[in-house]
Amino acid sequence: SSGINAEWPLRPGDPAHFISAAKLEQHVKVCNALKFDYTSEPYFKANVNLPPPHAIQDLRREPLSKLSIQQLIGTCLKLLEYGVESKVCKTETTETVTDLEQYRPLFQIGTNAGNSAVRHATQQVALLNALSNFQVHNGADTKFPDTCFVELGAGSGKLSQWFHYKANHCFFLLVDKQTCRRKADSYFRKQKCNFIRLKMDIKDIDVSGVPGLGGYKRVCFACKHLCGGATDLALVAAAHSGQHTETTVLIALCCHHLCSWESYSGKDYFITHFKPEEFYTLSSLSAWATCFKLETLQVDNQKVLNQLIESFQKHPESNIIQEHLVLDRTLQWHIGRCAKNALNDGRAQFMLNSGFRVQFSKYVNIDISPENTALLCFKDVAS
């Protein structure tokens, strides 16, 4: 039967997957079982957002347990010397969030909402506050006129939803290679918002080729906790955009332990401070920064060296860090923060080299999220 209530197979060869004809078109857009072929679309360019190949390649991630104690001591001391303060650009602190109460009724964040919902909402508002402050500092319009808002790694799209309250006239492009439940898409439809969601890999999207985007004078890239190497892909995408359009970037950084040498955008900066083979060591050590919630502290490098040497002297025959290298938690946390800072600085330098003005922001208190650093970048057409 071809009636409106008839069940149609969603795809050939899948007899268990049926949907009514009335819902077929909408279901195809959100179905997790379907793989979409974007290769013929004008915005698809394979690997367009991977950084150019580097002379140094084929680095492999090795677990910390494979390192000798001497190697670990050397890398840790380099990190402690590098420090937790950026050597590339300034860092602003914008931890105060005053807007959450005024937004609460709009997004139905009830007074009895769970801690997780309130925590995420607080981060989203704080990120937009940091973005507004950054726009003011750079003389850009905080109302974002004639702007396309691009959320890469969008997930449910909640950051775009918050941004819509601030600038509901924008065009919204949401990109994620997976499909999520409870998306903000239904909100955008009810608001009759101009938006597109693409289910594809960030590394393959040429944002300038998306239909309808070419008519906008400004592009704002925003990503909340885009893990590891995906952050670098987003930065390269923004750098491409900045070549011909006024471009703003807001990325809440996270998951440095998932970074890869192939996708890392700050290679040139990194090898001026560390050996290439130390990249994955720094990436692994960065995870120590999120193991504990501790306040900033001063670390005595000589005391650290003595502690590391003492541990090595007790077990000179062993390379197994987990069993024999016992570090104070505050020291682990501090080393992890240094590792994150070094990796972030490489990214910031990449954006500076691409003609952007760059700034870090501590947008929330560490009690709300241990991943509380955002990278903000801006480039106008004349830059």
Side-chain angles (χ1 to χ4, degrees):
S1 172
S2 59
I4 195 67
N5 294 319
E7 287 188 328
W8 286 12
L10 188 58
R11 57 181 180 177
D14 188 1
H17 205 153
F18 287 81
I19 190 70
S20 69
K23 299 180 179 179
L24 180 60
E25 182 178 356
Q26 179 58 30
H27 182 81
V28 167
K29 295 179 182 179
V30 299
C31 179
N32 286 323
L34 285 177
K35 301 295 183 182
F36 296 90
D37 183 10
Y38 287 110
T39 55
S40 61
E41 299 294 341
Y43 47 81
F44 177 88
K45 291 185 180 179
N47 299 325
V48 66
N49 295 322
L50 278 176
H54 197 271
I56 301 169
Q57 300 184 31
D58 300 325
L59 296 181
R60 295 193 305 170
R61 183 185 296 275
E62 296 285 354
L64 292 180
S65 59
K66 298 295 184 181
L67 295 177
S68 68
I69 299 295
Q70 297 97 320
Q71 288 175 309
L72 185 68
I73 290 175
T75 303
C76 286
L77 289 177
K78 281 187 182 180
L79 285 171
L80 291 167
E81 182 178 355
Y82 192 89
V84 295
E85 298 296 330
S86 174
K87 297 182 182 299
V88 173
C89 61
K90 68 177 182 178
T91 301
E92 296 287 339
T93 300
T94 55
E95 294 178 357
T96 303
V97 177
T98 58
D99 301 58
L100 188 58
E101 289 303 319
Q102 77 177 69
Y103 290 129
R104 189 184 293 271
L106 182 69
F107 293 99
Q108 300 178 348
I109 303 173
T111 54
N112 295 325
N115 290 335
S116 178
V118 174
R119 186 172 67 252
H120 284 293
T122 301
Q123 292 176 61
Q124 288 153 354
V125 173
L127 283 168
L128 295 184
N129 285 348
L131 179 60
S132 294
N133 293 339
F134 185 67
Q135 290 288 94
V136 170
H137 178 74
N138 287 284
D141 196 326
T142 59
K143 295 182 179 179
F144 295 92
D146 203 11
T147 299
C148 174
F149 186 85
V150 181
E151 186 176 1
L152 300 177
S156 62
K158 295 298 184 182
L159 185 59
S160 293
Q161 185 176 352
W162 283 95
F163 191 86
H164 180 262
Y165 180 78
K166 184 179 186 66
N168 57 17
H169 52 275
C170 291
F171 174 88
F172 290 84
L173 172 62
L174 290 74
V175 181
D176 202 300
K177 65 180 181 180
Q178 296 179 336
T179 299
C180 300
R181 292 181 177 273
R182 295 183 291 277
K183 296 188 294 291
D185 299 31
S186 58
Y187 165 83
F188 286 131
R189 294 189 190 98
K190 290 179 182 178
Q191 297 295 321
K192 298 181 178 180
C193 176
N194 191 8
F195 85 101
I196 296 176
R197 177 182 283 272
L198 299 177
K199 184 181 176 183
M200 62 185 298
D201 199 310
I202 298 171
K203 70 181 178 65
D204 298 324
I205 184 170
D206 176 9
V207 172
S208 64
V210 176
L213 189 144
Y216 290 85
K217 295 180 180 179
R218 300 169 182 85
V219 179
C220 179
F221 289 83
C223 316
K224 178 177 178 286
H225 291 166
L226 189 57
C227 293
T231 290
D232 298 287
L233 301 178
L235 290 175
V236 175
H240 289 160
S241 172
Q243 293 176 1
H244 49 78
T245 308
E246 181 180 303
T247 302
T248 303
V249 181
L250 165 68
I251 298 185
L253 303 163
C254 83
C255 299
H256 298 73
H257 61 284
L258 296 177
C259 289
S260 71
W261 180 253
E262 179 189 19
S263 62
Y264 182 58
S265 57
K267 297 184 186 75
D268 291 337
Y269 180 85
F270 184 88
I271 61 178
T272 63
H273 294 83
F274 301 91
K275 297 176 182 178
E277 55 268 26
E278 291 179 307
F279 175 81
Y280 283 114
T281 303
L282 263 69
S283 176
S284 297
L285 290 173
S286 69
W288 289 357
T290 55
C291 292
F292 324 102
K293 291 184 178 180
L294 303 170
E295 298 300 325
T296 304
L297 71 160
Q298 298 295 323
V299 175
D300 185 333
N301 283 8
Q302 187 59 48
K303 183 178 179 180
V304 173
L305 178 61
N306 292 340
Q307 181 183 0
L308 293 172
I309 292 176
E310 181 182 354
S311 180
F312 174 63
Q313 288 175 338
K314 289 181 178 178
H315 306 280
E317 75 291 345
S318 176
N319 293 338
I320 304 178
I321 294 170
Q322 291 92 325
E323 294 183 7
H324 298 304
L325 184 58
V326 181
L327 300 178
D328 181 84
R329 286 187 174 186
T330 56
L331 176 58
Q332 283 186 281
W333 178 82
H334 189 79
I335 291 172
R337 300 284 284 187
C338 293
K340 283 182 177 291
N341 181 47
L343 293 171
N344 288 341
D345 272 358
R347 292 162 164 170
Q349 188 62 56
F350 168 77
M351 295 305 284
L352 282 172
N353 294 345
S354 301
F356 284 77
R357 305 170 203 169
V358 180
Q359 173 188 302
F360 288 115
S361 173
K362 300 291 185 183
Y363 63 97
V364 290
N365 189 277
I366 198 171
D367 291 334
I368 297 175
S369 173
E371 301 279 23
N372 67 338
T373 300
L375 175 61
L376 297 115
C377 314
F378 176 78
K379 183 179 181 181
D380 59 33
V381 180
S383 297

